[in-house]
Amino acid sequence: MTVNDNGITSTSINGNAIEFQSICKRFGSTLANDKVSFAVKAGEVHAIVGENGAGKTTLMRILYGLHKPDSGTIYVRGKEARIESPKDAIALGIGMVQQHFALIKRFTVAENIILGQEGSKFYISREKGNKLIAELSRSFDLSVDPEARIEELSVGEQQRVELLKVLYRKADIIILDEPTAVLTPQEIESLYATIERMKASGKTIIFITHKLKEVFRVADTITVMRGGRSIATMSVAEVTPQELSELIIGKELRVRGEQRVEPKNTEALVVENLVVLGERGNEVLKGLNLVLKENELLGIAGVEGNGQTELVEALCGLRRAVNGRIMLFGHELTGTPPWLLRSKGIAHIPEDRLSSGMIDEFTVYENLILGYQTEFSRAGLLQKNEIMNETAKLMDEYDIRPRDLEVKMKNLSGGNQQKVVIARELRKNPKVLIANQPTRGLDVGAALFVHNKLLEAKSKGSVLLISSDLDEIMELSDRIAVIYEGRIVGEFDKKDKVEDIGSAMLGGKGEYA
Amino acid sequence: MPELDREEAKRAAAPIVSLAIAFIIGGIIVALIGKNPLDAYISIFRGAFEDWGFTLFWATSLIFSALAVAIAFHCGLFNIGANGQLMMGALAATYFSLRFSGVPGAILMPTVVFAALCAGAFWGFIPGVLKAKRGTNEVVVTIMMNYIAISAVSYALTYPMKDPGSWIAQSAPLPESLLFPRIGNTLGTDPMVFVAILMAVLSYIFLWRSRMGYELRAVGFNQLASAHSGIRVNRIITLTMCLSGAIAALSYFNYLFAYQYRAISDVLVGTNVGFDAITAALLANNNPVMVLLSSLLLAILYSGGLTAQFELGVPSSFYLFLEGIIIFSMVVFSVILGGKND
């Protein structure tokens, strides 16, 4: 743990790149940063971890000149720095890749990188820029075509452009705000490689995340933030994941593994030889078979894009089955429209809650009845009292905050939004719950809550869990099915080796690292 | 969260600021043509007040179409076709009134209303079902439906439904039994004004208290999430357009049964109420109760504008000018407020 008692004067290589002293920042009634003090050593990868709303992003935005602190001092390389705007930060060699990229979609990669850095006012030296970009891409393992337009790039590639932009501006203190939240597993791996390279070339990296796995993978030093305060700073070697998660949440939490219900032998959901077409008319599911037993939690593991989305859509009546059938306790469900599936006991936690799980302009109570509005209306009129009573109960049970039924969904944090979706879907104790990436983007505390709820749903019905997070699948599933190119290619017990599952996820070629 | 509150406040302030901008720019234009802007506005408001019957009459007509536009907006649909829907409603009402003129009014009137609602609903159904099933842009289809309605009305009133005794394209006089009473025989005091107010209240209840209103708004905000939750998105889109068309169909009732007592082709075809309704709905932020106010305000500007022309020589097209600036300001506002996502 570092203690900051007096001003640091050292500017040696092993000194501090950044030091925060008593940074305070208030937004309205919330204290986003409360006397935050810690130091980031030059040349290290420093992870800042904490739940959503712990104040990580606020602190970084202060460092980058996007917010002004109410009080406190920042030292950059030992010198007190006044950072009024990102321009000041850039001049100090600080660069930031934000969660939402600031790229002009119609411009090319090179144009975006050079933008604002052209040197001469009237003449942009394209060749010089392109050459520099190519060099940077090579030395930091950031492959991207400089002539491609941003709108043609994947999210991962866009992030690389942002990184190149920062490197092009010769930043040597680089802030990454939840960089992996938007990436696929493969892209995450290549980001790690880039971080290694940046570190090797002497740059300091500040890495904001709420995923513990990542911390142990890339960080040298960890600072934990909770409720706006910096709780502790320590080296990765000093701490175990368990200890770290306790520090983050502030109390000990575990998945309730002991009380798990054993699966029965009854077949709840049977999928036989399911064939489904994708957007472009190609076969995405190519004869998929799967059996979900009563009180079973079946995990579907697989690299994204192997038919998971289409499987869920077919099960939810949103995509037509070209061939094969879906049975629920022996009754045919194939071709049943979504509005009938609910009454048959199928519930669904969608992959992307923002686009398909909720209506952000609706209030919390309106979202809590979405899909069940008929149940809450009589003679075509919504029964507001009933709705309010029921949803107030759900808000208590699921600890949805703020405790305000009339607040708009868009004003809730991601974790609370997901709680609303889950509360709604579990309220009727579904026979089969289809949970698609239910903890994506959630912090440790919220993810744990969701895991416990999934296990609860399994004890009352059965759960089909689709997740690209293999740890999550391993921890919760009774049985694991691996999906690859539209088929289930292997079934595993939870006692099986992760390597074997990983290998199956890649088509059984054993390439999983 | 304070930032979000500010966003809400801006949305609420948009109509007032837009009106202020329109009045200021309008004033400058009036000054440029050598008149005193203050006099012009005083003349407009005094004129509208003195001729309150006409103002009320005009507002009544506008309210129905504005409600139609507002409800469609809540479902994410831009119904430009209120004009065509009201024409078809008027045509159907005229036809049934004349065809069954012998039937007692107490039975005939509900039949006539029902026929008009059906005709308007049908004129909304076509763009609605095309949107739902084929993804056709409802703006384009409703505009085309407007032209079809104009042709249909002109044809019907020039040939099959023309009053043989008349030398212009108009229907025969409507049966006495159907004509609306007026208080003190003043224009604008017919029952339709009360129906309009009732309709606004019902629309409000429908949107925020009924199940279908809930589903309609859900579809308007997020079709994908609505579909996932089991709302029948296509059906809601089609029904919303039908409902919108049906409400618009009542817009011309006060012309027929409390003013002209027959359908006059040139007047019906020349109506612009369905377009003014878009301004009224925008200005009311699509809130049905606020539509009452915005419609009244536009009616004041229109009716008073005629007085100002008479008294001061300010062209009556000044009204169109103000309306244009109001729309423009509201659109600029919505772009500013919603422009964050490209």
Side-chain angles (χ1 to χ4, degrees):
Chain A
M1 318 248 171
T2 41
V3 184
N4 320 295
D5 39 15
N6 48 21
I8 304 286
T9 47
S10 157
T11 51
S12 69
I13 304 160
N14 293 323
N16 292 336
I18 302 283
E19 188 181 343
F20 297 102
Q21 269 198 6
S22 283
I23 304 288
C24 292
K25 176 74 189 174
R26 180 180 285 279
F27 292 111
S29 59
T30 52
L31 201 52
N33 280 166
D34 184 6
K35 298 199 203 95
V36 176
S37 302
F38 67 92
V40 178
K41 289 198 206 85
E44 69 173 357
V45 179
H46 193 115
I48 299 178
V49 296
E51 302 199 275
N52 292 334
K56 299 165 295 187
T57 300
T58 305
L59 184 68
M60 289 305 110
R61 290 175 72 91
I62 288 172
L63 178 58
Y64 195 54
L66 291 163
H67 290 318
K68 266 184 79 173
D70 299 332
S71 63
T73 321
I74 298 172
Y75 296 91
V76 178
R77 294 182 206 87
K79 287 200 204 82
E80 185 175 338
R82 296 185 60 80
I83 306 171
E84 303 274 339
S85 70
K87 222 171 168 180
D88 296 343
I90 292 164
L92 284 165
I94 301 169
M96 179 164 178
V97 176
Q98 303 200 47
Q99 282 184 51
H100 302 283
F101 306 145
L103 297 169
I104 299 169
K105 287 191 176 160
R106 303 201 145 253
F107 278 17
T108 66
V109 169
E111 284 166 343
N112 267 285
I113 293 170
I114 304 169
L115 194 74
Q117 300 289 308
E118 300 89 354
S120 134
K121 274 214 162 96
F122 299 104
Y123 176 68
I124 301 172
S125 170
R126 211 168 270 261
E127 284 131 55
K128 234 176 79 187
N130 278 358
K131 221 180 112 195
L132 196 52
I133 292 164
E135 264 170 41
L136 288 173
S137 313
R138 215 168 322 116
S139 48
F140 291 103
D141 218 0
L142 289 164
S143 65
V144 58
D145 173 13
E147 293 300 321
R149 281 181 203 283
I150 298 299
E151 59 197 357
E152 300 162 2
L153 302 183
S154 73
V155 180
E157 287 171 313
Q158 291 184 21
Q159 190 184 60
R160 278 180 229 158
V161 178
E162 284 282 13
L163 269 166
L164 282 169
K165 214 161 93 181
V166 167
L167 292 166
Y168 188 86
R169 294 174 183 187
K170 304 196 172 53
D172 65 353
I173 299 168
I174 296 166
I175 308 162
L176 306 172
D177 190 358
E178 304 219 0
T180 57
V182 293
L183 301 182
T184 65
Q186 292 90 332
E187 287 171 330
I188 292 173
E189 282 304 319
S190 87
L191 176 68
Y192 290 158
T194 301
I195 292 175
E196 299 284 320
R197 295 232 184 169
M198 293 195 293
K199 186 182 155 191
S201 73
K203 296 189 187 294
T204 308
I205 291 118
I206 303 176
F207 187 95
I208 303 181
T209 184
H210 53 237
K211 293 182 191 156
L212 298 186
K213 208 170 73 181
E214 294 177 352
V215 174
F216 288 97
R217 176 74 198 270
V218 297
D220 302 311
T221 311
I222 306 165
T223 291
V224 178
M225 290 191 70
R226 192 203 311 151
R229 293 160 182 260
S230 46
I231 298 296
T233 299
M234 68 224 121
S235 127
V236 173
E238 287 173 15
V239 68
T240 66
Q242 183 63 27
E243 287 164 0
L244 187 57
S245 65
E246 282 165 28
L247 276 172
I248 292 170
I249 309 164
K251 60 185 176 218
E252 193 182 346
L253 281 170
R254 270 187 300 138
V255 173
R256 295 184 309 208
E258 308 79 34
Q259 316 157 2
R260 286 192 198 181
V261 181
E262 279 302 308
K264 294 200 185 101
N265 238 343
T266 340
E267 292 177 343
L269 184 77
V270 179
V271 177
E272 271 173 22
N273 193 29
L274 189 66
V275 178
V276 162
L277 303 183
E279 292 305 333
R280 271 168 272 123
N282 51 326
E283 269 189 19
V284 178
L285 294 188
K286 302 161 184 167
L288 183 137
N289 292 295
L290 117 98
V291 175
L292 174 67
K293 299 205 170 116
E294 205 177 345
N295 296 125
E296 184 180 43
L297 195 151
L298 175 65
I300 307 269
V303 176
E304 269 181 68
N306 274 294
Q308 291 95 323
T309 308
E310 289 77 8
L311 171 62
V312 171
E313 285 176 355
L315 291 177
C316 296
L318 296 161
R319 198 174 278 272
R320 206 169 62 87
V322 180
N323 206 346
R325 52 185 200 159
I326 303 164
M327 313 278 285
L328 180 71
F329 286 105
H331 296 285
E332 178 109 28
L333 273 192
T334 330
T336 312
W339 55 90
L340 285 176
L341 280 174
R342 290 200 169 227
S343 58
K344 298 206 187 285
I346 294 207
H348 172 211
I349 301 170
E351 187 173 6
D352 179 357
R353 70 176 161 272
L354 288 176
S355 72
S356 44
M358 54 176 248
I359 291 172
D360 60 355
E361 290 286 342
F362 268 14
T363 60
V364 169
Y365 80 83
E366 284 174 315
N367 270 289
L368 278 166
I369 61 163
L370 187 64
Y372 299 96
Q373 64 275 12
T374 312
E375 185 187 323
F376 287 102
S377 35
R378 250 186 293 290
L381 289 177
L382 295 173
Q383 303 299 307
K384 197 154 178 207
N385 284 341
E386 260 173 57
I387 295 169
M388 290 312 215
N389 289 341
E390 181 68 22
T391 55
K393 226 165 65 192
L394 286 174
M395 281 186 100
D396 282 338
E397 191 187 334
Y398 285 81
D399 191 22
I400 296 162
R401 292 173 203 208
R403 195 73 99 250
D404 178 358
L405 290 164
E406 307 264 4
V407 75
K408 277 194 182 170
M409 193 73 165
K410 65 178 178 186
N411 295 350
L412 261 54
S413 71
N416 280 301
Q417 289 174 343
Q418 189 72 334
K419 282 182 180 177
V420 170
V421 173
I422 290 173
R424 179 182 75 210
E425 298 302 320
L426 293 188
R427 190 176 64 85
K428 303 281 282 178
N429 295 326
K431 286 182 191 149
V432 171
L433 172 71
I434 300 159
N436 195 359
Q437 311 286 5
T439 59
R440 177 176 283 172
L442 300 190
D443 59 45
V444 190
L448 201 68
F449 182 88
V450 172
H451 287 167
N452 281 327
K453 281 295 172 190
L454 292 182
L455 291 174
E456 199 181 307
K458 155 196 143 77
S459 69
K460 292 174 183 164
S462 35
V463 179
L464 190 66
L465 169 67
I466 296 98
S467 176
S468 52
D469 182 349
L470 197 50
D471 295 341
E472 179 173 82
I473 298 250
M474 296 296 288
E475 189 172 355
L476 297 173
S477 306
D478 296 306
R479 202 156 47 93
I480 297 154
V482 174
I483 188 169
Y484 179 74
E485 292 194 342
R487 286 194 190 91
I488 297 296
V489 292
E491 281 193 12
F492 296 87
D493 198 62
K494 58 188 162 190
K495 292 173 209 91
D496 282 322
K497 275 199 249 147
V498 182
E499 287 74 20
D500 295 339
I501 299 174
S503 161
M505 282 165 66
L506 293 168
K509 296 186 194 78
E511 289 160 5
Y512 190 77
Chain B
M1 228 177 277
E3 279 173 40
L4 286 162
D5 293 345
R6 212 180 310 145
E7 195 182 302
E8 300 279 309
K10 272 195 219 161
R11 207 176 295 280
I16 296 159
V17 177
S18 299
L19 278 174
I21 292 172
F23 281 149
I24 291 167
I25 298 179
I28 294 170
I29 297 294
V30 172
L32 283 177
I33 55 174
K35 317 278 182 208
N36 183 339
L38 202 62
D39 285 351
Y41 285 125
I42 289 171
S43 170
I44 285 174
F45 281 93
R46 192 173 38 76
F49 186 72
E50 279 170 4
D51 204 358
W52 61 271
F54 180 72
T55 310
L56 210 53
F57 176 82
W58 223 77
T60 302
S61 189
L62 195 51
I63 288 166
F64 290 106
S65 286
L67 289 174
V69 174
I71 286 173
F73 257 128
H74 279 284
C75 191
L77 299 164
F78 197 10
N79 181 12
I80 308 270
N83 226 34
Q85 292 145 12
L86 79 85
M87 284 181 204
M88 296 315 286
L91 191 63
T94 308
Y95 176 78
F96 276 81
S97 302
L98 296 172
R99 175 77 180 70
F100 303 104
S101 54
V103 178
I107 299 168
L108 185 51
M109 196 63 204
T111 316
V112 165
V113 170
F114 184 72
L117 292 176
C118 287
F122 178 67
W123 229 239
F125 169 79
I126 294 171
V129 77
L130 284 174
K131 169 94 178 176
K133 298 270 180 208
R134 290 266 158 242
T136 322
N137 188 332
E138 78 280 7
V139 173
V140 176
V141 180
T142 47
I143 288 176
M144 293 195 293
M145 297 294 288
N146 283 342
Y147 286 108
I148 300 172
I150 288 175
S151 306
V153 166
S154 316
Y155 174 79
L157 293 178
T158 311
Y159 299 108
M161 282 167 67
K162 183 175 176 287
D163 179 6
S166 165
W167 45 272
I168 63 165
Q170 61 181 16
S171 74
L174 297 168
E176 291 275 345
S177 63
L178 289 181
L179 304 185
F180 289 147
R182 301 197 303 202
I183 301 167
N185 203 25
T186 313
L187 188 68
T189 57
D190 59 89
M192 286 316 278
V193 67
F194 303 106
V195 177
I197 294 167
L198 182 69
M199 188 62 89
V201 175
L202 287 178
S203 302
Y204 187 90
I205 294 170
F206 169 75
L207 282 171
W208 278 284
R209 293 283 177 268
S210 79
R211 192 189 74 209
M212 191 191 155
Y214 171 88
E215 293 177 349
L216 180 159
R217 288 184 303 118
V219 170
F221 281 128
N222 188 338
Q223 286 198 14
L224 195 60
S226 302
H228 272 260
S229 77
I231 292 173
R232 295 191 243 187
V233 173
N234 289 345
R235 171 189 273 219
I236 293 288
I237 287 174
T238 312
L239 283 177
T240 301
M241 281 306 288
C242 290
L243 181 68
S244 182
I247 295 174
L250 297 175
S251 268
Y252 204 73
F253 262 55
N254 57 351
Y255 274 84
L256 290 178
F257 300 104
Y259 180 30
Q260 296 175 327
Y261 306 118
R262 61 183 356 149
I264 304 169
S265 180
D266 281 353
V267 180
L268 181 50
V269 160
T271 183
N272 207 35
V273 166
F275 296 107
D276 292 328
I278 297 165
T279 317
L282 265 177
L283 205 50
N285 273 339
N286 302 311
N287 178 325
V289 176
M290 297 307 281
V291 158
L292 294 176
L293 289 182
S294 64
S295 298
L296 184 63
L297 182 81
L298 288 180
I300 287 171
L301 294 180
Y302 181 71
S303 129
L306 297 176
T307 313
Q309 179 177 28
F310 180 68
E311 287 183 356
L312 298 171
V314 175
S316 66
S317 55
F318 184 56
Y319 165 79
L320 291 175
F321 182 80
L322 286 180
E323 199 182 1
I325 299 175
I326 292 169
I327 294 185
F328 185 76
S329 309
M330 289 297 290
V331 169
V332 168
F333 250 103
S334 71
V335 169
I336 293 170
L337 290 175
K340 271 175 272 170
N341 319 317
D342 290 10

